[in-house]
Amino acid sequence: MHKSRSVAGTNNKRVTNDMIILGIDTSCDDTCAAIVQDGKRLLSNIVNSQVTVHHEHGGVVPELASREHIRNIVPVVRESLRKAHLTNKDIDAVAVTVGPGLVGALLVGIYFAKAFSYANAIPLLGINHLEGHILSIFLEEKSPPFPFIALTVSGGHTNIYHVRDFGDYTVLGKTLDDAAGEAFDKIAKLLELGYPGGPVIEKLAAAGRPDAIGFPRAYLSKASLDFSFSGLKTAVALYFRKWCDHQPKENKIKIADIAASFQAAVVDVLVDKVVAATTRVGVNSVVLAGGVARNTYLRSRLQSVMAQKGIDLFIPGPEFCTDNGAMIAVAGYHRWTRGEGDDLTLDARSRFPVDQA
Ligand code: KG4
Ligand code: ZN
């Protein structure tokens, strides 16, 4: 279907018909570019994190994120090519996140991808960021059979999907307010632990007792697979205020107990709703993805519950859980094999439900 060319190194004469895709993601605070062959084989994966820029603000500042992406996009793509021992000419298509995300940030990646596609006369593929997270598992050696349930938990989204095939997704549940990662970030800010909140809360929680404080679990209606974390956030804030008033007097509850009890409240709801989803649609495989999937407490709790139920659990490696260009290249590959593609009118979509991808 497309040309044969030499890949992987200037002296390497290996000729392949495999599709090599450059994947770009600038949806939030990481400038990401990766190169993936045949929707599976990772050739390079570069992530330039802006954590130090946003850390002092306790969260992502959209204008600063856009400015950093502008500064970083060219060196990051160049590095992805260098690491893969490739040049522009070896790339068969460019896939880029179009949403959901911060519009100003998304536009940097989109305009770069348009220029790259035009200059190299290769296809342009606009990708839904959440589809990228769902498909990140296909970068691993062991990938799930269809159909499966996917729980994507990130800074902006908490969703449960029924995944029937590449490009065939039904949303079974979503957050009605804060995303799980956002709750971690907000609680970390409250406890003055910095940004991003997930890793610092997890570290602190390891020294605390998950059952020390009975924070609320919002299950909503019994049949609901939706989430709500704003009530939990308020409960932790109120508790913390009272707790501070009693410091440094004898207090049996430590700050690590607050972190551990908060984490347990989030994880309990996530695990229970995933179990309910597998029962509802009758699948034997579950995928956990997104930045919060790096959380070892969540990973191990889900692992043990799924093992009890005889359901196979698939979790991408940590580098594929948080935002990356590789998952965008994977999603691009499958769009391309379906004969889909975009033209230069491609635009950013701050809101972009995955079932419209
Ligand atoms: O997927 P991601 O990189 O970006 C979005 O698409 O939002 O997810 C980032 C989110 C942040 O909210 C961060 O606090 C959270 O993932 N996160 C974690 C952990 N590592 C990152 N949350 C809990 N535990 C972690 N270890
Ligand atoms: Zn993400």
Side-chain angles (χ1 to χ4, degrees), residues 129 133 154-156 181 184-185 196-199 202 290-292 294-295 321-323:
H129 182 79
H133 275 304
S154 70
F184 272 93
D185 295 336
E202 177 178 1
V292 183
R294 288 178 82 128
N295 186 285
C321 288
T322 34
D323 290 349

Side-chain angles (χ1 to χ4, degrees), residues 49-287:
S49 166
Q50 301 178 6
V51 162
T52 49
V53 175
H54 302 288
H55 188 272
E56 61 179 295
H57 304 282
V60 178
V61 183
E63 289 77 9
L64 292 181
S66 310
R67 202 185 304 163
E68 287 299 305
H69 286 311
I70 291 170
R71 223 194 302 266
N72 293 329
I73 186 73
V74 171
V76 165
V77 170
R78 214 172 259 159
E79 180 66 1
S80 71
L81 287 163
R82 197 190 64 77
K83 274 262 166 72
H85 306 289
L86 298 176
T87 69
N88 291 5
K89 290 192 182 61
D90 299 309
I91 304 298
D92 292 306
V94 54
V96 63
T97 300
V98 292
L102 304 169
V103 170
L106 288 164
L107 285 173
V108 179
I110 292 171
Y111 276 83
F112 178 89
K114 283 185 190 183
F116 195 91
S117 150
Y118 184 74
N120 296 291
I122 55 171
L124 173 68
L125 300 147
I127 302 300
N128 182 300
H129 182 79
L130 298 167
E131 181 177 27
H133 275 304
I134 295 170
L135 300 185
S136 58
I137 193 65
F138 290 92
L139 288 158
E140 298 294 343
E141 199 123 310
K142 203 169 150 253
S143 49
F146 293 109
F148 58 83
I149 288 291
L151 170 67
T152 59
V153 266
S154 70
H157 306 274
T158 303
N159 293 315
I160 297 181
Y161 303 104
H162 184 200
V163 181
R164 290 187 205 81
D165 202 345
F166 293 110
D168 187 359
Y169 318 106
T170 303
V171 182
L172 300 179
K174 59 185 180 316
T175 182
L176 304 180
D177 40 58
D178 292 350
E182 192 179 356
F184 272 93
D185 295 336
K186 286 179 175 169
I187 295 303
K189 190 173 181 179
L190 177 84
L191 305 184
E192 295 177 4
L193 298 170
Y195 174 85
V200 274
I201 297 261
E202 177 178 1
K203 200 162 165 225
L204 184 60
R209 288 182 296 128
D211 58 354
I213 311 149
F215 287 131
R217 274 85 168 142
Y219 286 99
L220 307 170
S221 73
K222 209 164 177 229
S224 175
L225 294 178
D226 288 334
F227 301 94
S228 168
F229 294 110
S230 68
L232 170 62
K233 185 186 64 189
T234 308
V236 176
L238 290 173
Y239 187 94
F240 182 61
R241 211 169 298 153
K242 272 200 209 139
W243 182 82
C244 287
D245 290 344
H246 291 97
Q247 287 292 313
K249 282 183 224 149
E250 277 290 288
N251 194 340
K252 274 196 235 125
I253 300 292
K254 298 186 188 59
I255 186 133
D257 295 326
I258 302 179
S261 301
F262 158 75
Q263 180 176 261
V266 174
V267 168
D268 273 358
V269 178
L270 292 175
V271 170
D272 290 349
K273 299 245 171 187
V274 170
V275 170
T278 58
T279 310
R280 184 177 302 179
V281 297
V283 298
N284 294 320
S285 307
V286 164
V287 168

